Amino acid sequence: MDPAEKPAECPARGKCPVFLAVSSGTVRYAPSGLGPALEGNLGEQPLDTDSQPHPDEGHPPPLEAVPVPWKSVGPYKSHRESLGGLPETPAGEEAQGEEGPAATQLDVSRLRSSSMEIREKGSEFLKEELHKAQKELKLKDEECERLSKVREQLEQELEELTASLFEEAHRMVRDANMKQAASEKQLKEARGKVDTTLFAEFQAWRESPTLDKTSPFLERVYREDVGPCLDFTMQELSALVRAAVEDNTLTIEPVASQTLPTVKVAAVDCGHTKTCALSGLACACRHRIRLGDSESHYYISPSSRARITAVCNFFTYIRYIQQGLVRQDAEPMFWEITRLRKEMSLAKLGFFPHEA
């Protein structure tokens, strides 16, 4: 067909119901008896529903007058689309179209099976993790319970210890108060028995403590206690011992199992027995004395050692008072001095501890 020529139009346009159906896009019809020319016009030229047929142009009569059999060739897209633009579907593509739904269904089933498998594996993994977490939580609960029991036990022990300490402290305070009350009672009782003369002499000495023998207090102690206690048979050595005690230069030391011979012959070896340098009696001398810086040693008996020690204890205490180291009232000091004087009197009479 020459493209310059104007294509023939259907004479039944606007009147044929089939034409109207085709124009609406419901179905597509192709007349089987009109020949290739009409079919070509239907495939190449879009239908114009607005034009009117022209019977005087040499075209066949209208479709109302000539009944022609028609066949359906498929759905028609639209009267606005070109009939020639409709693609023809090959046989192979139609076969592929028929196989497409089956393949799609197979893919969907595979995806579903894969999804189910992944879901099952994920569920198993989550179950395992949940089991592990529950196990760890159980272990932690057991550990917390054990620590809680230990804490309760420690708290109970601490409470018991605190209670026992409080009881012990209250008992000690109670005992101390009882002892203090007893001491105060004894002190009150002793105040009525104190020799007022001796206490007055001590108070006068305490106001200005000194080691001078001219004070009435020390002169009495020397005369009644120190002198008789240090009065030994060997008068010369006794005077030296008393001077060393007053000067605080006398040393008493135990005798070793094997000793060097002494310079003086005041202590004579008699087998296991030695002669006391102060009393002149043969006895087991377990101590010896040294006067000042002298290298001479004198063996003494236990009785002589006890008498010298008692006098040294008295002088040590009054030196502490003189130096201000004893911070007590006058009465406790006086009673301590009285006790020390008692110890000198007992040692002078021969009463001394066995370890002396």
Side-chain angles (χ1 to χ4, degrees), residues 266-287:
V268 181
D269 292 335
C270 301
H272 295 286
T273 304
K274 293 183 174 59
T275 302
C276 177
L278 292 173
S279 64
L281 299 176
C283 58
C285 300
R286 296 190 295 270
H287 292 83

Side-chain angles (χ1 to χ4, degrees), residues 89-103:
T89 303
E93 294 181 0
E94 291 179 357
Q96 292 179 0
E98 294 176 357
E99 295 177 357

Side-chain angles (χ1 to χ4, degrees), residues 286-300:
R286 296 190 295 270
H287 292 83
R288 62 184 182 179
I289 59 175
R290 183 164 56 88
L291 306 176
D293 297 333
S294 175
E295 296 296 332
S296 301
H297 293 84
Y298 302 93
Y299 291 93
I300 57 176

Side-chain angles (χ1 to χ4, degrees), residues 107-286:
D107 293 339
V108 170
S109 63
R110 289 179 179 175
L111 289 175
R112 288 180 179 176
S113 62
S114 299
S115 177
M116 291 294 294
E117 184 179 357
I118 292 174
R119 187 178 300 174
E120 291 177 358
K121 290 183 178 180
S123 178
E124 292 178 359
F125 176 75
L126 291 177
K127 288 180 180 179
E128 292 178 358
E129 292 297 324
L130 179 61
H131 181 68
K132 291 181 181 179
Q134 291 177 349
K135 188 176 180 180
E136 292 179 358
L137 183 60
K138 183 178 179 181
L139 293 176
K140 289 183 179 179
D141 290 341
E142 293 177 355
E143 183 67 16
C144 291
E145 185 177 0
R146 186 184 66 83
L147 293 177
S148 178
K149 291 181 179 179
V150 172
R151 185 184 63 182
E152 292 177 357
Q153 183 179 0
L154 291 177
E155 290 178 354
Q156 184 178 1
E157 292 179 356
L158 182 60
E159 291 178 358
E160 293 177 356
L161 179 61
T162 304
S164 62
L165 289 177
F166 273 112
E167 291 178 359
E168 183 68 18
H170 287 306
R171 186 184 63 79
M172 294 176 65
V173 171
R174 184 174 62 254
D175 294 345
N177 292 334
M178 292 176 63
K179 290 180 180 179
Q180 182 178 2
S183 299
E184 291 178 355
K185 183 179 179 181
Q186 292 177 359
L187 181 60
K188 290 180 180 179
E189 293 177 355
R191 284 178 180 176
K193 301 177 182 179
V194 173
D195 189 341
T196 55
T197 303
L198 295 177
F199 186 69
E201 292 176 354
F202 171 74
Q203 282 185 325
W205 174 84
R206 181 173 172 270
E207 292 178 358
S208 57
T210 179
L211 297 179
D212 190 3
K213 302 177 185 178
T214 58
S215 66
F217 170 69
L218 287 183
E219 192 272 333
R220 179 188 292 273
V221 174
Y222 266 96
R223 184 180 67 254
E224 296 179 358
D225 302 308
V226 175
C229 194
L230 296 180
D231 187 11
F232 295 101
T233 304
M234 304 296 179
Q235 294 293 325
E236 182 179 358
L237 185 58
S238 298
L240 296 176
V241 168
R242 185 169 64 180
V245 170
E246 294 174 357
D247 297 337
N248 198 20
T249 58
L250 185 139
T251 304
I252 301 176
E253 58 185 17
V255 177
S257 57
Q258 293 182 356
T259 57
L260 295 175
T262 56
V263 177
K264 300 265 182 186
V265 193
V268 181
D269 292 335
C270 301
H272 295 286
T273 304
K274 293 183 174 59
T275 302
C276 177
L278 292 173
S279 64
L281 299 176
C283 58
C285 300
R286 296 190 295 270

Side-chain angles (χ1 to χ4, degrees), residues 32-77:
S32 61
L34 295 180
L38 182 59
E39 292 178 0
N41 292 332
L42 291 175
E44 296 177 2
Q45 182 70 22
L47 298 178
D48 187 5
T49 59
D50 299 332
S51 63
Q52 298 295 329
H54 301 278
D56 56 348
E57 293 181 359
H59 294 284
L63 293 178
E64 294 87 355
V66 183
V68 180
W70 296 78
K71 64 178 179 179
S72 176
V73 296
Y76 186 74
K77 285 186 179 181

